[in-house]
Amino acid sequence: MAEATGKMEKLVDQALADLAREVEAKTPRPSADLMARVLSDAASVAPARTDQTMDMMDARPRTLADILFGWTGGAVAALTLCMTMGVAIGMEISEDQMPMMGDTVEIAEADPLGILPEDFI
Amino acid sequence: MRMTAGPDDTGVDRDAELLARFAAGDQSAARELTDTLLPGAMRQAWRMLSDQAEAEDVAQDAMMRLWKQANDWRAGEARVSTWLYRVVHNLCIDRIRKRRPQVPVEDAPEPVDPDPSVLDRMAESDTAKAVSAAIGQLPERQRQALILRHFEGYSNPEIGDAMECSVEAVESLLARARRQLAVLMEDQKEALGYG
């Protein structure tokens, strides 16, 4: 009985191998046109994916590097530069070229309450 | 006959690596994936639909879904080849249902996979014809496991992945399928030279 079962299993294995070989030989392969279409689809997906990737990058939380080297950082750098230049220019200008900083003639003594009538208080 | 580059001895899914490269913008990875996966997808669709033009449409549709899935693919969760197998299977089932006359869903029989008549048509030798006829009489799950094992070259874990069941369940299905085939072919053994 066991021998008979073993023989039948061998028959089944042999039959499956025969059928698999015959099916493989007759199964159509993908045509060159199909291969081209599939690769074209892959290429068409890639650019859309790149745009999506860019959107995802814009949505990322900004890091210190983004802040330092982003547009804000550029504006800060420009302001700093202007201030530095202003200080440097100011230090280079002599006092006699700047009337406001030189000897002045006192025109009037400042008396904030002088304009008020004497009997106001 | 293997559908895929598949996992190597270390269990690494080569197809998943290629898919990750494709997601990173490497078009050569798309070509490699197409070379390894498209023949199997085409073969599976043709077996289920018996029509080359329809099989090509399904195979192209399935590969397009793979390209779109590339960015979201999480390695380790499933094998690329078995994921693609399920996609092709479902696409073919949809087409088979559309071919049939409109019947209420509760009355519609469950579509079979694959169409046994395809195997019958391709069998030439007496032995192959006998086993093809016997395969057509197997329960669907046993037939599916058998086809994946002997016609697609899937390993038991890959079959489990494709059929969404455990490896033990796959081994049980295959064992029962072989026993059932032996019973069905018993009366033909003398004609086949095994008397």
Side-chain angles (χ1 to χ4, degrees):
Chain A
M1 181 66 176
E3 188 181 345
T5 303
K7 279 186 178 177
M8 276 311 302
E9 287 183 356
K10 277 189 181 176
L11 168 65
V12 168
D13 290 340
Q14 179 63 48
L16 284 170
D18 288 346
L19 182 58
R21 198 168 40 248
E22 291 171 19
V23 167
E24 172 69 13
K26 290 188 175 179
T27 299
R29 298 286 184 266
S31 62
D33 179 59
L34 174 61
M35 297 283 283
R37 280 184 275 139
V38 169
L39 289 172
S40 174
D41 288 343
S44 71
V45 168
R49 193 179 59 251
T50 301
D51 291 341
Q52 187 184 26
T53 304
M54 295 298 291
D55 289 341
M56 287 170 66
M57 287 180 65
D58 288 342
R60 286 181 304 137
R62 301 188 64 198
T63 63
L64 181 61
D66 291 333
I67 293 171
L68 288 176
F69 301 109
W71 71 268
T72 307
V76 170
L79 278 172
T80 304
L81 180 63
C82 290
M83 283 177 59
T84 304
M85 287 176 64
V87 169
I89 291 169
M91 290 175 68
E92 287 297 318
I93 297 176
S94 61
E95 288 184 2
D96 58 355
Q97 290 179 302
M98 295 176 67
M100 291 299 292
M101 296 298 293
D103 293 333
T104 56
V105 174
E106 192 169 326
I107 298 175
E109 185 176 333
D111 180 9
L113 299 176
I115 62 173
L116 297 172
E118 289 184 0
D119 59 357
F120 177 75
I121 300 172
Chain B
M1 189 191 294
R2 282 298 302 277
M3 191 176 187
T4 172
D8 58 21
D9 290 342
T10 62
V12 174
D13 187 356
R14 170 81 176 130
D15 295 332
E17 291 180 347
L18 288 170
L19 199 61
R21 279 172 45 194
F22 168 73
D26 183 357
Q27 282 295 314
S28 68
R31 175 163 284 279
E32 277 192 66
L33 279 168
T34 301
D35 287 342
T36 54
L37 295 174
L38 187 60
M42 171 78 187
R43 187 167 53 237
Q44 178 193 356
W46 183 74
R47 259 207 322 272
M48 292 184 71
L49 300 172
S50 310
D51 182 282
Q52 183 164 353
E54 277 203 270
E56 289 204 349
D57 286 346
V58 165
Q60 182 182 0
D61 194 357
M63 292 300 291
M64 181 58 143
R65 290 171 191 234
L66 181 64
W67 303 142
K68 290 180 176 177
Q69 184 68 18
N71 237 17
D72 300 324
W73 185 268
R74 285 192 285 274
E77 285 191 359
R79 293 183 175 85
V80 174
S81 59
T82 51
W83 179 89
L84 192 67
Y85 172 86
R86 287 199 294 272
V87 169
V88 170
H89 180 269
N90 292 337
L91 288 171
C92 289
I93 293 296
D94 289 344
R95 290 203 175 217
I96 290 170
R97 284 191 171 132
K98 283 177 186 172
R99 285 177 185 173
R100 294 181 178 176
Q102 294 297 321
V103 294
V105 172
E106 57 272 17
D107 296 336
E110 187 64 27
V112 297
D113 167 33
D115 180 359
S117 64
V118 173
L119 299 178
D120 285 342
R121 286 200 298 273
M122 288 191 283
E124 286 187 350
S125 66
D126 293 338
T127 312
K129 286 179 181 173
V131 76
S132 170
I135 288 173
Q137 298 180 57
L138 290 175
E140 186 191 343
R141 296 275 289 175
Q142 289 182 22
R143 182 169 59 246
Q144 190 177 4
L146 198 79
I147 295 289
L148 288 171
R149 188 76 172 94
H150 292 277
F151 295 88
E152 293 294 343
Y154 276 32
S155 65
N156 287 356
E158 288 174 320
I159 296 172
D161 210 11
M163 295 181 64
E164 298 181 292
C165 61
S166 67
V167 173
E168 291 75 21
V170 170
E171 290 169 354
S172 173
L173 283 169
L174 289 172
R176 281 187 279 148
R178 287 179 78 240
R179 280 198 299 273
Q180 185 67 9
L181 287 178
V183 168
L184 291 169
M185 295 173 68
E186 174 71 28
D187 59 348
Q188 301 178 64
K189 63 180 180 181
E190 288 187 7
L192 295 174
Y194 286 83

